Amino acid sequence: MSSALTDLLLHPIVQAPMAGGVSVPQLAAAVSEAGGLGFLAAGYKTADGMYQEIKQLRSLTARPFGVNVFMPQPEYAESGAVEVYAHQLAGEAAWYETELGDPDSGRDDGFDAKLAVLLDNPVPVVSFHFGVPSPEVFDSLRRAGTCTLVTATTAEEARAVERAGADAVIAQGVEAGGHQGTHRDVPENDGAGIGLLSLVAQIREAVDIPVVAAGGIMRGSQIAAVLAAGASAAQLGTAFLATPESGAHAVHKQALTNPLFTHTELTRAFSGRPGRGLVNRFLREHGPYAPAAYPDVHHLTSPLRKAAAKAGDAQGMALWAGQGHRLARALPAAELVEVLAAELDAARTALSAKGGLGGPGRLGGRR
């Protein structure tokens, strides 16, 4: 394992960066203080907004933490498809008494400005989603003392991450909630996602850099499983979404274990990119017709999602969640880290007693 990553962790537990106001400084601080690695999500924020959250987080903890940045997206050629989708959503706008958003509200998410902030005011860890930065970006961050990670959904993407110079790769299985971090959004690949354990094994054989496993992990025993498969740590998102410190809407938190929401699906309905969420009315009615146009569709539907949240209407919200959502526990974030660590220890002890995996050292245990 690379000490650049694991030296930051008391427990091999990373709190996933969840954009849209979920991964707030209070959540990241609580996780880091408990010995995990808390993360802020810079996605959909301005560079100054990101900087202000970093300052607030630093006032709450002296422990290491991370910041996640979205990669700029290529121009979408078929604007007509977005116009057709906007026409389909006209009824939603009327229902929620709001206007649709401007699909041309920007494609780079302020990437250059955010990178400049992170180089001027270095943080311990920076991760990237939706693509791979240039080797020069990784070199600059390394000189600043920052450890870097990039999401990959295939072994081929993981090799690209390693070639570019990242310190570690996040193997995101198809079970993961929220957006799939594919490097290129190819509609022909919809439904071709790889399950986490298979993906970790494939990536582990494809690259030499450490692997962080992400996707549907809700229990310490699952962390033990991905560590046994070759990961150095596990990244959990949905598990932390239900915590009191999470910035998720109360309706979203409640929906995770609400029996009305029986399962999740990957959908383009809310953003134009595949993302896993609880199946609700909006997803069912509009998912089949949403074009592959991110972030155009994200900007288009943003006022609808905000209006639904303001009304407390779970049927119109983007209820991002992983496949393990029914296992969510509304524990304080620090307590959840402690419970997960205890479950991990119990799983390692059981496996060691059975002679299955040679004891805690082989599983990348506590440092």
Side-chain angles (χ1 to χ4, degrees):
M1 293 186 293
S2 169
S3 60
L5 174 64
T6 55
D7 281 354
L8 303 176
L9 304 171
L10 176 62
H11 309 299
I13 297 170
V14 179
Q15 167 246 312
M18 294 169 280
V22 178
S23 295
V24 293
Q26 292 82 359
L27 174 60
V31 173
S32 290
E33 281 290 299
L37 183 66
F39 252 95
L40 294 175
Y44 310 135
K45 293 184 175 69
T46 63
D48 183 64
M50 176 193 74
Y51 177 59
Q52 295 303 322
E53 287 205 346
I54 292 172
K55 286 177 59 178
Q56 184 180 357
L57 177 53
R58 282 183 164 140
S59 73
L60 298 173
T61 182
R63 293 280 305 165
F65 63 90
V67 175
N68 176 255
V69 179
F70 286 173
M71 291 295 296
Q73 297 300 293
E75 197 69 34
Y76 178 67
E78 299 180 32
S79 59
V82 178
E83 293 174 5
V84 170
Y85 193 53
H87 180 72
Q88 179 180 329
L89 295 177
E92 298 282 352
W95 175 257
Y96 288 113
E97 299 181 336
T98 187
E99 298 291 328
L100 293 174
D102 180 5
D104 299 318
S105 296
R107 312 192 64 78
D108 67 356
D109 201 47
F111 179 83
D112 290 339
K114 290 172 183 176
L115 183 61
V117 170
L118 293 169
L119 290 173
D120 288 341
N121 302 271
V123 299
V125 182
V126 170
S127 68
F128 297 93
H129 209 54
F130 299 147
V132 188
S134 67
E136 291 75 20
V137 169
F138 291 115
D139 289 342
S140 298
L141 288 167
R142 186 171 295 108
R143 288 194 297 271
T146 297
C147 177
T148 53
L149 300 87
V150 182
T151 302
T153 61
T154 66
E156 180 182 6
E157 289 181 349
R159 282 189 284 266
V161 170
E162 184 176 50
R163 286 195 301 269
D167 292 308
V169 59
I170 300 168
Q172 186 192 37
V174 73
E175 304 95 331
H179 286 106
Q180 291 284 295
T182 49
H183 296 180
R184 292 179 60 249
D185 184 17
V186 181
E188 291 77 12
N189 291 341
D190 285 3
I194 304 171
L196 181 58
L197 285 177
S198 294
L199 182 63
V200 169
Q202 291 177 30
I203 291 180
R204 183 66 280 160
E205 293 190 5
V207 301
D208 292 325
I209 57 177
V211 176
V212 177
I217 301 173
M218 303 292 287
R219 296 287 187 264
S221 58
Q222 293 172 291
I223 299 174
V226 296
L227 295 178
S232 296
Q235 179 172 280
L236 293 77
T238 305
F240 286 103
L241 192 141
T243 63
E245 295 89 347
S246 157
H249 194 287
V251 170
H252 192 170
K253 294 181 181 183
Q254 294 162 5
L256 295 175
T257 53
N258 187 330
L260 290 175
F261 300 99
T262 60
H263 65 290
T264 63
E265 288 183 7
L266 288 171
T267 183
R268 296 180 181 272
F270 300 103
S271 71
R273 235 184 190 272
R276 184 173 295 282
L278 299 172
V279 176
N280 61 3
R281 178 194 59 79
F282 194 102
L283 189 156
R284 285 193 301 270
E285 292 183 0
H286 302 295
Y289 311 104
Y294 176 86
D296 309 60
V297 173
H298 164 77
H299 296 314
L300 186 71
T301 67
S302 179
L304 300 178
R305 291 179 277 118
K306 290 177 181 177
K310 184 177 181 180
D313 182 7
Q315 297 300 329
M317 297 168 61
L319 302 174
W320 302 126
Q323 287 184 341
H325 65 95
R326 299 303 290 273
L327 297 173
R329 297 177 283 202
L331 299 172
E335 184 179 343
L336 180 57
V337 172
E338 294 170 358
V339 169
L340 289 166
E343 291 173 344
L344 171 59
D345 280 345
R348 291 185 306 192
T349 299
L351 290 169
S352 179
K354 295 177 181 178
L357 292 166
R362 292 281 297 280
L363 285 169
R366 297 189 195 181
R367 300 185 64 85

